[in-house]
Amino acid sequence: MNKKKIFNDPVYGFVTIPTELLFDLIEHRYFQRLRRIQQLGLTGFVYPGALHTRFHHALGAMHLMSLALRTLKDKGVKISAAEGEAALAAILLHDVGHGPLSHALETAIFQDVPHEQLSLFLMQRLNVEFEGRLTLAIEMFRGSYKRPFFHQLVSSQLDMDRLDYLNRDSFYTGVEEGRPGADRLIKMLRVHDERLVLEEKAVYSVENFLVSRRLMYWQVYLHKTVTSAEQMVIRVVQRARDLARQGVDVPANSCLGYFLGRAVSLDDFERDDKILSHFVELDDHDFWSAIKNWASHPDKVLSYLAKSILHRNLLKIVLAPEPFDEEFRLGIQELIEEKFNLPPAEAALLMISGRLSNSAYNAESQEPIEILTKRGDVVNVMEASDLPNIRALSQRVEKFYICYPKEIV
């Protein structure tokens, strides 16, 4: 069987799967599951075209990785065939442990279980299945390989993951300002002392990338309506989880029911291999099926939230530069109690508050974006730029929000 396939990507055009190992990884059921997980979760409630999947994104990131490796080779960086394949496998599998509905459920059904750690667990499983052929990819993914620039290409402040999701998400949402200029940035990549750097002439391209990232966060990822929808999904799952653990019958299929019925931590994943087996059966369809069932549940909070999500009757969301005072919050809760005839504890569940935070660049990170100057010095991009943009983009911007039913207005 010819495994060197070509597929047509709407963002990049024709993309090649260069080796048989990568083809076999793509064909594996763990990776095929990503077809059933949307990249942007509930963002389609605001941008109707944002229906692409984690599967699309992973293939796109692999393509950008191949372009980056080719650029570095052309500039004299020695990269063996094994290293090249490992880097492509690492970026291909970087999201294989992602849960359903984007990031909305990472805290709703698990206790501090980051998807990156689940990706690592699944890569280790695949490594056993593929007889050790992913060992080098896992080292690159974890950052333990002796040549750190490979890890930086997979996970850093200017990695192939970010370049693809900004490119792809701006394409599917139609937010043209979010295009990061990935092609030029990749062409400007260099390796210095085994670390990833950019040529000095890339400074303005980095500024463009960071501005694009800031815009995409406020216009797409942290859009106030998307925030309302995601918080509602988190709250409806938390309510279903709490009811299930109190012994109330909450309809769900076996894999979702498993997680609703018990608290699962990262240690539990490491101790019990069966938990990971349940996890790889979870996808967006499980949650949408459950939410349809919950819409007719006798619990008022669960049914109200489920129906509202299904019909896109989202909670009203109000943003403010400072936290909302307690008197305002209590006033909203009292209105909810009166309107929905709920006791205080349950009325509080229909009011959601929190904080949105966004900084396009972390100048204090252990993995800063670095520029190789014409004199041969390596400096933080913030020091290399003669414009104030990057310094401004590194400042953290915070907004506070509160969500509540429109019916009480």
Side-chain angles (χ1 to χ4, degrees):
M1 179 182 179
N2 176 22
K3 296 183 178 181
K4 293 188 177 179
K5 302 291 185 181
I6 294 173
F7 62 89
N8 194 351
D9 182 80
V11 179
Y12 306 119
F14 291 110
V15 172
T16 303
I17 301 171
T19 72
E20 292 192 3
L21 172 63
L22 294 167
F23 177 85
D24 290 338
L25 290 172
I26 291 168
E27 289 287 279
H28 196 279
R29 64 189 181 90
Y30 291 171
F31 192 82
Q32 290 293 316
R33 164 183 166 270
L34 299 182
R35 290 181 183 272
R36 305 189 300 276
I37 297 179
Q38 285 188 13
Q39 172 76 5
L40 290 180
L42 281 298
T43 306
F45 277 15
V46 176
Y47 296 98
L51 301 176
H52 53 301
T53 65
R54 294 273 160 191
F55 184 88
H56 294 134
H57 163 57
L59 292 175
M62 181 190 74
H63 171 65
L64 293 185
M65 177 67 84
S66 70
L67 297 182
L69 295 176
R70 191 178 311 148
T71 293
L72 295 176
K73 285 180 184 177
D74 289 345
K75 293 179 180 179
V77 180
K78 300 295 184 185
I79 298 173
S80 69
E83 287 175 324
E85 184 179 65
L88 291 170
I91 195 68
L92 183 72
L93 298 174
H94 78 281
D95 266 353
V96 74
H98 218 292
L101 295 181
S102 189
H103 294 272
L105 297 171
E106 285 192 12
T107 56
I109 56 174
F110 301 137
Q111 295 179 319
D112 299 320
V113 182
H115 73 270
E116 294 88 351
Q117 192 62 48
L118 295 181
S119 291
L120 177 60
F121 290 159
L122 289 174
M123 288 172 73
Q124 289 167 338
R125 265 197 183 191
L126 286 166
N127 198 32
V128 173
E129 201 170 317
F130 283 83
E131 299 178 337
R133 294 168 69 194
L134 292 177
T135 300
L136 186 53
I138 290 171
E139 287 181 24
M140 290 178 179
F141 182 80
R142 298 179 73 171
S144 58
Y145 187 52
K146 62 185 178 182
R147 307 184 75 186
F149 76 87
F150 284 110
H151 175 70
Q152 290 177 285
L153 287 168
V154 175
S155 179
S156 66
Q157 293 198 79
L158 186 62
D159 55 31
M160 300 306 106
D161 173 28
R162 292 186 186 196
L163 287 180
D164 181 77
Y165 76 62
L166 289 174
N167 243 348
R168 190 166 301 276
D169 298 348
S170 62
F171 177 88
Y172 280 98
T173 57
V175 179
E176 291 293 331
E177 305 91 327
R179 291 292 179 98
D183 290 347
R184 178 168 170 78
L185 283 167
I186 288 172
K187 291 293 184 188
M188 298 295 106
L189 290 175
R190 294 278 296 271
V191 169
H192 181 79
D193 291 338
E194 296 297 341
R195 294 192 61 79
L196 197 66
V197 296
L198 287 152
E199 295 172 9
E200 189 170 358
K201 58 188 174 183
V203 168
Y204 301 118
S205 296
V206 174
E207 289 186 358
N208 176 60
F209 161 72
L210 295 176
V211 169
S212 299
R213 191 162 185 264
R214 169 64 62 86
L215 286 169
M216 284 296 286
Y217 268 84
W218 286 130
Q219 287 187 231
V220 178
Y221 310 130
L222 301 179
H223 188 288
K224 67 175 188 175
T225 306
V226 174
T227 298
S228 174
E230 290 188 345
Q231 292 303 315
M232 289 175 73
V233 167
I234 292 170
R235 185 57 55 90
V236 78
V237 173
Q238 288 172 337
R239 181 61 174 170
R241 175 198 70 191
D242 293 343
L243 290 171
R245 292 175 192 178
Q246 291 166 20
V248 177
D249 180 36
V250 178
N253 64 19
S254 58
C255 56
L256 178 55
Y258 178 88
F259 290 106
L260 291 178
R262 56 183 54 76
V264 177
S265 67
L266 190 58
D267 288 342
D268 295 322
F269 271 99
E270 292 189 89
R271 278 196 302 264
D272 188 351
D273 205 41
K274 290 179 183 175
I275 297 176
L276 200 59
S277 298
H278 286 292
F279 173 77
V280 294
E281 299 300 323
L282 275 180
D283 57 46
D284 287 4
H285 301 303
D286 298 311
F287 285 91
W288 285 115
S289 176
I291 286 170
K292 286 170 70 177
N293 277 318
W294 298 341
S296 57
H297 196 276
D299 181 79
K300 285 184 181 180
V301 172
L302 186 67
S303 62
Y304 173 80
L305 288 170
K307 267 188 270 193
S308 298
I309 293 166
L310 282 176
H311 303 149
R312 200 189 174 279
N313 178 31
L314 304 179
L315 297 179
K316 180 176 177 60
I317 180 168
V318 178
L319 299 178
E322 301 291 337
F324 294 89
D325 61 50
E326 192 62 24
E327 187 177 340
F328 180 72
R329 292 160 55 87
L330 288 173
I332 289 177
Q333 185 175 320
E334 287 174 8
L335 290 171
I336 295 172
E337 291 172 31
E338 184 180 333
K339 178 68 179 177
F340 294 92
N341 192 26
L342 290 171
E346 292 185 15
L349 297 175
L350 296 183
M351 180 183 67
I352 307 171
S353 60
R355 178 179 61 181
L356 302 175
S357 180
N358 177 13
S359 66
Y361 177 61
N362 180 2
E364 307 301 321
S365 167
Q366 292 182 338
E367 295 282 359
I369 299 173
E370 293 181 314
I371 300 293
L372 179 64
T373 69
K374 290 174 183 174
R375 292 178 299 181
D377 300 322
V378 175
V379 298
N380 190 311
V381 68
M382 202 161 70
E383 299 169 29
S385 175
D386 59 357
L387 295 175
N389 292 5
I390 293 180
R391 196 170 300 278
L393 289 166
S394 68
Q395 300 300 310
R396 184 167 297 277
V397 178
E398 292 187 337
K399 298 179 183 179
F400 296 85
Y401 67 85
I402 190 164
C403 307
Y404 52 84
K406 293 172 182 173
E407 293 90 331
I408 70 166
V409 178

